[in-house]
């Protein structure tokens, strides 16, 4: 398969970053949902995994941005309405803001409780030098949770848009981000 964007399809690298990050985000959401109603003893290991996966998502997102800056993306399908173009670009920008902001916000919130992040025993990030302030930590956790909820709704919108473009508009939609399927030229 062509690893460039000479066609209407994203590059192989972009596809790998997209799908690995997508799966990681969904797994991380499910981890925190599973932990929500547990006691502290049962919740702690799940939240440690949530934090570690969040930092992994941050690192993957930085890699994806570097990839994107060095590998141009294919143009949007020509049959999109202007509002669809604006919505697509806006949602993608918000995705990147959340993919970077949520992990950093979670790390900052933990730092206000004096906690760093152990990333699956591979390396540890120390608490940021903000000093302990549990009230600030709780406030940031509230923003973090709201941002995560917004992210889930935007993911649903993104999936619905990809399906609409694939099956109704027949302009390639989801197949632009897969190594198979028909993407009209």
């Amino acid at each position: 398969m062509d690893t460039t964007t000479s066609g209407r399809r994203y590059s192989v690298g972009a596809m790998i970053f997209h799908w690995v990050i997508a799966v990681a985000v969904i797994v991380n959401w499910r981890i925190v949902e599973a932990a929500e109603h547990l006691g502290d003893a049962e919740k702690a290991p799940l939240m440690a995994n949530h934090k570690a996966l969040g930092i992994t998502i941050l690192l993957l997102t930085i890699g994806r941005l570097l990839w994107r800056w060095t590998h141009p993306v294919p143009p949007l399908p020509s049959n999109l309405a202007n509002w669809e173009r604006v919505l697509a670009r806006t949602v993608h920008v918000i995705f990147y803001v959340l993919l970077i902001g949520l992990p950093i916000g979670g790390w900052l919130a933990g730092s206000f409780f004096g906690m760093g992040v152990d990333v699956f025993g591979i390396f540890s990030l120390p608490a940021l030098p903000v000093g302990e302030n549990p009230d600030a930590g709780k406030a940031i956790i509230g923003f973090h949770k709201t941002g995560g909820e917004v992210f889930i709704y935007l993911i649903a919108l993104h999936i619905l848009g990809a399906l609409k473009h694939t099956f109704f508009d027949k302009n390639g939609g989801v197949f632009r981000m897969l190594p198979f399927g028909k993407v009209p030229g």
Side-chain angles (χ1 to χ4, degrees):
M1 182 179 139
D2 186 6
T3 60
T4 69
T5 57
S6 60
R8 309 290 294 177
R9 208 179 289 277
Y10 283 83
S11 66
V12 172
M15 290 180 197
I16 292 168
F17 275 117
H18 176 274
W19 292 108
V20 169
I21 291 170
V23 169
V25 166
I26 291 168
V27 167
N28 220 19
W29 167 55
R30 297 310 306 150
I31 288 171
V32 80
E33 286 291 317
E36 190 168 322
H37 302 291
L38 297 176
D40 289 342
E42 297 94 5
K43 182 187 278 191
L46 285 179
M47 292 309 295
N49 286 334
H50 174 76
K51 294 172 189 177
L53 190 52
I55 296 300
T56 303
I57 291 167
L58 173 63
L59 296 174
L60 287 167
T61 301
I62 292 167
R64 180 168 182 183
L65 283 170
L66 292 172
W67 183 269
R68 185 178 175 119
W69 286 327
T70 59
H71 297 79
V73 299
L76 289 172
S78 59
N79 65 342
L80 293 184
N82 282 341
W83 69 267
E84 290 175 306
R85 290 178 182 283
V86 170
L87 183 60
R89 295 293 185 218
T90 301
V91 168
H92 279 99
V93 168
I94 294 170
F95 277 168
Y96 283 115
V97 168
L98 292 171
L99 286 166
I100 292 168
L102 287 173
I104 291 173
W107 183 18
L108 178 61
S111 296
F112 278 118
F113 290 97
M115 298 184 304
V117 181
D118 175 58
V119 183
F120 302 117
I122 300 169
F123 65 93
S124 293
L125 297 174
L128 294 166
V130 293
E132 290 197 29
N133 185 339
D135 290 336
K138 288 176 187 173
I140 293 171
I141 288 170
F143 289 123
H144 181 81
K145 182 177 180 182
T146 300
E149 291 168 354
V150 167
F151 201 7
I152 295 303
Y153 291 122
L154 287 176
I155 290 168
L157 177 66
H158 180 67
I159 291 167
L160 289 173
L163 293 173
K164 174 198 178 284
H165 296 303
T166 302
F167 299 110
F168 293 103
D169 300 340
K170 300 194 185 309
N171 64 13
V174 73
F175 296 117
R176 290 167 36 90
M177 193 52 85
L178 291 169
F180 56 84
K182 183 173 169 63
V183 180

